[in-house]
Amino acid sequence: MAAVHTSPRRSPRLTLPVLAAGVVVAGMALSAWGARDRTTWFLETVWVLVGLPLVVLTWRRFPLTGLLCGLLAVHALVLALGGHYTYAQVPLGDWARDTFGLDRNPYDRFGHLMQGFVPAVLVRELLSRTSPLRGSRWLAPLTVCACLAFSAFFELLEWAAAEAGGHSADAFLATQGDVWDTQWDMFCALIGAVLSLLLLSRVHDRQLAALESARRVPAA
């Protein structure tokens, strides 16, 4: 009986990462085209410019869960949109301000909420897979602490940019006249990290288990 040959197909596990990477590349290209301030665009999107190649280069040795891939892609698009317009001038934020009677464009607040929400899953995945913390009661609080530490580090970068660039760094800072903007940014990141763990931990655990099982199965 003749053997049946099937044409090679892309692994289902690779479909989402490849699609997410394509969307991010397209979003970054659109973001860079006609950006209002090139320096601000670079400062806001440098995390994507570094992070995407890093994920691609380490994928064979350290593939990520589908949940994390999707969240990273969404976060990249949030950064790309903020970098294109500058956070204080994103039209969607202007619409929210005018519709709900807010005193400022809230897109910056949303960006910092995402700064905690998405990295929480990233940190949780790294700690779960590379340390003894998986299943530990310390995993959640240490994840939140790491996200808050990164938020504080980002605020230090903003301070350094302000010192170096003076008024030219105003678009990057996006304080919109709020003297408590730094504290609000870190608080939003904290809330984002906590919400992420409350909403996504169970789904994340299932995907981590599935990823571990798939990696144990030898390739045919």
Side-chain angles (χ1 to χ4, degrees), residues 120-163:
V121 177
L122 173 61
V123 171
R124 190 177 191 273
E125 184 150 327
L126 292 175
L127 291 178
S128 293
R129 296 173 60 183
T130 63
S131 78
L133 286 172
R134 185 169 182 177
S136 168
R137 68 181 64 183
W138 287 102
L139 179 59
L142 288 177
T143 296
V144 172
C145 288
C147 292
L148 193 55
F150 175 76
S151 178
F153 172 69
F154 187 82
E155 296 303 321
L156 290 175
L157 291 181
E158 288 190 342
W159 168 63
E163 288 292 325

Side-chain angles (χ1 to χ4, degrees), residues 49-99:
L49 298 174
V50 173
L52 181 58
L54 182 62
V55 170
V56 172
L57 290 173
T58 60
W59 184 266
R60 294 180 69 87
R61 182 170 56 87
F62 199 85
L64 306 178
T65 60
L67 174 64
L68 181 55
C69 285
L71 288 173
L72 288 174
V74 172
H75 196 190
L77 295 179
V78 169
L79 294 173
L81 185 61
H84 179 80
Y85 289 104
T86 76
Y87 275 77
Q89 301 180 68
V90 172
L92 183 61
D94 287 340
W95 171 84
R97 179 196 61 207
D98 297 338
T99 301

Side-chain angles (χ1 to χ4, degrees), residues 208-217:
L208 286 170
L211 179 62
E212 184 177 343
S213 298
R215 286 176 61 79
R216 287 176 178 174
V217 177

